[in-house]
């Protein structure tokens, strides 16, 4: 039974490592501005990150989550500023002539 579990975990680990490598390889191939030395270094980092995906993926997820939360907070601030300016415009139109001026 233990041997079956070890085999399943190993198969899962290898399948996920291959999958991450393929996905990250697509992003790597999009970057055409790398010199030959940086290409070799990038491939080494890509291989290392794929092999250590159980550590890399959670940290990448946490970073992505923090980025989404920052963007959401900025969006809320922009939305509230827009809402406030729209309310001010509705309250008193720009070309408003007061009865006193007439």
């Amino acid at each position: 039974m233990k041997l079956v579990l070890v085999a399943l975990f190993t198969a899962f680990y290898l399948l996920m490592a291959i999958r991450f490598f393929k996905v990250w390889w697509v992003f790597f191939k999009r970057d055409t501005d790398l010199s030959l030395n940086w290409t070799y270094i990038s491939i080494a980092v890509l291989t290392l990150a794929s092999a250590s995906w159980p550590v890399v993926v959670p940290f990448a997820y946490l970073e992505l989550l923090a980025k989404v939360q920052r963007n959401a907070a900025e969006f809320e601030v922009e939305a509230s500023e827009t809402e406030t300016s729209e309310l001010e415009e509705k309250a008193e139109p720009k070309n408003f002539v007061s009865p006193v001026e007439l």
Side-chain angles (χ1 to χ4, degrees):
M1 182 66 181
K2 289 181 182 179
L3 186 60
V4 172
L5 286 176
V6 169
L8 287 174
F9 283 126
T10 304
F12 177 73
Y13 172 83
L14 291 174
L15 288 173
M16 291 302 292
I18 292 168
R19 175 70 179 141
F20 284 123
F21 185 84
K22 285 181 180 180
V23 169
W24 292 335
W25 182 258
V26 170
F27 291 117
F28 171 74
K29 293 303 279 184
R30 288 183 189 169
D31 190 6
T32 57
D33 296 336
L34 293 176
S35 67
L36 189 60
N37 287 338
W38 279 108
T39 301
Y40 290 134
I41 292 170
S42 297
I43 291 172
V45 169
L46 181 66
T47 305
L48 182 64
S50 297
S52 59
W53 70 264
V55 175
V56 172
V57 171
F59 282 110
Y61 177 75
L62 289 174
E63 185 176 330
L64 182 64
L65 185 62
K67 182 179 179 182
V68 168
Q69 288 175 345
R70 279 193 310 269
N71 289 343
E74 290 174 7
F75 179 74
E76 287 177 5
V77 168
E78 290 175 7
S80 67
E81 289 174 357
T82 304
E83 206 172 86
T84 304
S85 65
E86 288 176 357
L87 288 175
E88 289 172 356
E89 289 175 5
K90 288 179 182 177
E92 186 173 325
K94 292 180 183 175
N95 298 329
F96 179 74
V97 178
S98 71
V100 176
E101 294 176 2
L102 294 175

